[in-house]
Amino acid sequence: MRICTMLDYETLRLLWWALLGVLLIGFAVMDGFDLGVAALLPVVGRSDMDRRVMINTVGPVWEGNQVWLILGGGAVFAAWPALYATAFSGFYIAMFLVLCALILRPVGFKFRSKLEGAAWRRAWDTALIIGGVVPAVVFGVAFGNVLQGVPFHFDADLRVTYTGGFLGLLNPFALLCGLVSLAMVIMHGAVYLAVKTDGQVAARARGVVPWAVLAMLVLFSLAGAWIALGIDGYAVTSAVVADGPSNPLMKTVERAPGTWLENYRRLPLSLIVPALAYVGALATWGLIRAERVGLAFITSSLAVAGVVGTAGVSAFPFLLPSSSDPASSLTVWDASSSHTTLQIMLVATLVFMPLILAYTAWVFRVLRGPVRAQDITNDGGAFY
C-alpha cells in the first residue's frame, strides 16, 4: 500500500483511466452474456421449458454480475466527478431508460412463475427480452455519441450546461454503435448458453454464434471505417499539464478528420486492442464449430474486451469530448479527483477487487455444469 502513496498525480490519473476501462470491460463481459441470453429468448427458446432452462442459466448469477456496473458508476463518481456530473446529466433520459429496462429483469424472473397461463409467461418473456436488448443498444449508442462529441460546455465558474436532447443521441453513427453492442452481447450470450445447456437449446445457441460473429465484425468494421472517413476526432493543441489542476478550460482543443486514429499511429502496439476483437470473434466461431465451448467463452470474452477497449484507446486522453465547445472537453488530465482521493481509492481497489474476483470465481465454480430440464423440474428453488 505504501507504493500507492508514492505514485505521482500523472501516474494515478493514468491508472484510474485504465481501471475505468477494466471495470467497463468487466461489466461488458460479465453482464454481457446475461443481456445476450435475454435477447435470445425468442430465437433459442422454442418452448416454455427451453426458455425456463435459459432463464435458469443466468438467474443465479445476474445479480453478482451487476456489481461491475455499480463499480463502474462508483468509480466514475469518485475518480472522475466532472465526467459523472456531465455524462449523467446529459444522458439522463438514456440512463433512466436503461435502469427501467434493467429493473424488468428481476421482476420478470420472479413474476413469470406466478401464473401458469401461456399469455402471462409470454408477457414476462417480452419484459426480459426488453431488459436484454434495450441496455445493450443504449450503452452502444452512448459510446457512439462519446466518439462524436456531446453538446455541453462549462462557464467561467465551471458550471456545466448540456445543450442537446435525447433524440439527438439517436443519430445514425450512434445507432450503428448500438447495433455493434447488441451483436456483441448476442454472440457472448449464445456462447454462454452453449456452455451452460445441452440438447436442442445448446445446439440452437451454437447455431446463432456464426451469425452473431459475422454481424458483429461487419458492423464493427463499418463503425471503424465511418470513424476514419466521416467522424471528426479531437486533439489537444496546447501544452498538456498531466499533473495540473482539474480545470477543463485550461487547454485548447481542435477537431479534425482522422484524429481518433492518431493513437494507433503514435503507438502501433495499441493496434492489438482492435485486433483482439477480430481475432477473438473469429476464434470463437472456430471453437464453436469444434465444440470447444469452454475455450469459446474465453475467446468471446476477449472479443468483447477488444470492442470496448477500442473505443477507449481511440479516444485517449479524452473521456467526454464536447461538440459545442471543444475546449470544454473532459480529458484524463483535467477531469479527475484530487491526488489524495485517487490514492485512497487505489488502496481500496487493491483490497476489495481481489475479493470480488475471488468470490465471482467461487460462485461460478459452485454453479459449474449445464442446466437441464430435469434439474429445473426437480428443483423447487429454480427460476421459472
Side-chain angles (χ1 to χ4, degrees), residues 27 39 276 299:
F27 170 68
L276 193 62
T299 56

Side-chain angles (χ1 to χ4, degrees), residues 3-86:
I3 296 176
C4 297
T5 62
M6 298 171 59
L7 296 175
D8 59 41
Y9 204 7
E10 177 183 359
T11 303
L12 280 170
R13 282 168 160 166
L14 280 172
L15 277 175
W16 272 103
W17 172 79
L19 282 171
L20 178 60
V22 168
L23 293 174
L24 291 175
I25 290 171
F27 170 68
V29 170
M30 298 304 298
D31 211 39
F33 67 76
D34 287 357
L35 302 177
V37 169
L40 286 169
L41 276 175
V43 178
V44 176
R46 303 289 176 81
S47 67
D48 182 65
M49 180 55 71
D50 290 345
R51 291 188 285 275
R52 289 171 65 186
V53 168
M54 294 171 67
I55 289 169
N56 277 275
T57 64
V58 298
V61 299
W62 77 270
E63 288 177 291
N65 294 340
Q66 290 288 107
V67 169
W68 293 93
L69 177 60
I70 297 168
L71 287 173
V76 173
F77 173 77
W80 311 100
L83 173 63
Y84 180 89
T86 305

Side-chain angles (χ1 to χ4, degrees), residues 90-107:
F91 296 160
Y92 183 83
I93 296 178
M95 294 294 181
F96 183 75
L97 184 62
V98 167
L99 288 176
C100 289
L102 290 177
I103 289 170
L104 289 176
R105 287 201 291 176
V107 176

Side-chain angles (χ1 to χ4, degrees), residues 68 351-366:
W68 293 93
V351 171
F352 290 105
M353 184 65 77
L355 295 178
I356 294 171
L357 293 173
Y359 174 75
T360 301
W362 177 78
V363 167
F364 278 89
R365 176 174 174 77
V366 170

Side-chain angles (χ1 to χ4, degrees), residues 36-198:
V37 169
L40 286 169
L41 276 175
V43 178
V44 176
R46 303 289 176 81
S47 67
D48 182 65
M49 180 55 71
D50 290 345
R51 291 188 285 275
R52 289 171 65 186
V53 168
M54 294 171 67
I55 289 169
N56 277 275
T57 64
V58 298
V61 299
W62 77 270
E63 288 177 291
N65 294 340
Q66 290 288 107
V67 169
W68 293 93
L69 177 60
I70 297 168
L71 287 173
V76 173
F77 173 77
W80 311 100
L83 173 63
Y84 180 89
T86 305
F88 278 69
S89 297
F91 296 160
Y92 183 83
I93 296 178
M95 294 294 181
F96 183 75
L97 184 62
V98 167
L99 288 176
C100 289
L102 290 177
I103 289 170
L104 289 176
R105 287 201 291 176
V107 176
F109 289 150
K110 296 297 183 181
F111 277 75
R112 190 181 190 276
S113 62
K114 298 302 181 182
L115 295 176
E116 294 291 337
W120 174 267
R121 292 193 169 186
R122 279 197 303 271
W124 288 111
D125 287 343
T126 301
L128 290 172
I129 294 166
I130 293 171
V133 171
V134 170
V137 172
V138 172
F139 285 132
V141 167
F143 272 96
N145 278 282
V146 168
L147 290 170
Q148 293 177 99
V150 178
F152 71 91
H153 63 271
F154 291 97
D155 63 17
D157 296 318
L158 294 184
R159 291 175 298 193
V160 65
T161 300
Y162 179 76
T163 56
F166 174 70
L167 294 180
L169 301 176
L170 305 179
N171 56 78
F173 177 75
L175 290 173
L176 173 61
C177 292
L179 292 177
V180 173
S181 176
L182 181 61
M184 178 183 74
V185 301
I186 287 176
M187 173 196 71
H188 201 41
V191 174
Y192 180 76
L193 285 174
V195 173
K196 290 294 293 179
T197 62
D198 62 4

